[in-house]
Amino acid sequence: MKKVKDYYYELAKKEKYPARSVYKLEEVQKKYKILKKGQRVLDLGCHPGSWSVYTAQVIGAKGVVVGVDLQPTDLPSQKGHAEIHWLCYDVYAGDLIKILRGRWPGFHVVISDMAPRTTGSPYADHQQSLRLVRRALDIACDLLHENGSFYCKAFQGEDFPEVVQECKPLFQTVKVVKPESSRKESRDVFILGRGFNPRAGRERKKNI
């Protein structure tokens, strides 16, 4: 994909983040404060690592960030920031939940910047994006603590309202967010769920 060297691209380069996408998380953090000191945060689709690095800075040395991606990511943790654990793993793997539960007791926040490999077909890309959103939701239902937060990328399209409706029973509040740092031509939006309800999460898992 052609890399557009816009303001956020240059800012990311200046601030030493691997990608401009970091500002899509920074914006929601400044407005909604979903990340707090000492939390455990699961970052799905973490490569090349900007979201994990930013999260580690916000949650501080007592926090933990776990980044999962098909592509290997290996950026060093920085002094005074949360330790980052990089897992090169498929989010659809059947044993992913078991592996994560074996090392951490759950997460206060699940964030996802996952996106499908684009095919040139807007409809196909939209459907694959929603599949990733639903997978992120399933993982959140297994691992998110009560009252936890969920922030997940999706491609807009005709079936997008349906996946938003699926989120509503799981959280006290659900918002659709379009960060200023998203390119105007992009179909990317983000679903922000706050106040996770574990009972509703268990019901969702039963019905899958």
Side-chain angles (χ1 to χ4, degrees):
M1 189 175 84
K2 183 179 179 182
K3 185 176 283 187
V4 180
K5 294 187 177 181
D6 62 7
Y7 167 78
Y8 290 103
Y9 172 89
E10 297 296 343
L11 185 60
K13 188 175 178 182
K14 180 181 177 182
E15 296 186 340
K16 295 182 169 50
Y17 287 111
R20 71 188 298 288
S21 58
V22 65
Y23 302 109
K24 299 174 187 179
L25 178 59
E26 183 186 65
E27 283 183 56
V28 82
Q29 170 62 15
K30 286 182 175 179
K31 187 168 184 178
Y32 297 104
K33 309 296 184 188
I34 62 171
L35 303 171
K36 297 179 174 62
K37 295 290 184 184
Q39 287 182 325
R40 287 183 301 275
V41 180
L42 179 61
D43 180 7
L44 302 173
C46 65
H47 188 81
S50 292
W51 278 28
S52 290
V53 170
Y54 174 78
T55 297
Q57 293 169 358
V58 174
I59 65 177
K62 293 184 179 180
V64 173
V65 180
V66 180
V68 181
D69 201 287
L70 276 172
Q71 298 185 68
T73 311
D74 191 20
L75 299 174
S77 296
Q78 297 180 351
K79 187 176 180 181
H81 298 164
E83 186 175 0
I84 305 174
H85 302 265
W86 306 107
L87 298 183
C88 185
Y89 222 78
D90 187 345
V91 296
Y92 291 108
D95 59 345
L96 176 61
I97 300 298
K98 183 178 179 181
I99 289 170
L100 292 170
R101 276 185 173 158
R103 296 185 63 182
W104 298 280
F107 296 89
H108 302 94
V109 184
V110 173
I111 56 179
S112 172
D113 197 30
M114 292 192 293
R117 294 184 183 276
T118 53
T119 64
S121 165
Y123 178 78
D125 294 344
H126 170 57
Q127 293 301 320
Q128 288 302 313
S129 171
L130 296 190
R131 183 170 177 251
L132 288 168
V133 173
R134 289 185 170 109
R135 179 56 180 159
L137 271 177
D138 292 344
I139 292 170
C141 286
D142 275 317
L143 297 172
L144 199 55
H145 289 316
E146 185 172 4
N147 291 321
S149 297
F150 176 78
Y151 185 58
C152 181
K153 180 160 74 178
F155 289 176
Q156 287 180 303
E158 61 182 287
D159 294 326
F160 176 69
E162 182 179 324
V163 82
V164 174
Q165 289 301 316
E166 290 177 34
C167 294
K168 288 186 176 180
L170 302 173
F171 300 95
Q172 290 177 17
T173 63
V174 173
K175 296 179 181 290
V176 176
V177 179
K178 177 73 172 180
E180 289 291 328
S181 53
S182 288
R183 294 189 178 102
K184 291 181 180 179
E185 70 273 15
S186 171
R187 291 187 295 145
D188 294 4
V189 291
F190 290 83
I191 298 171
L192 173 62
R194 304 183 72 193
F196 176 65
N197 181 343
R199 181 180 295 179
R202 289 190 293 269
E203 286 299 314
R204 175 183 171 83
K205 295 296 289 183
K206 281 182 191 177
N207 295 328
I208 292 176

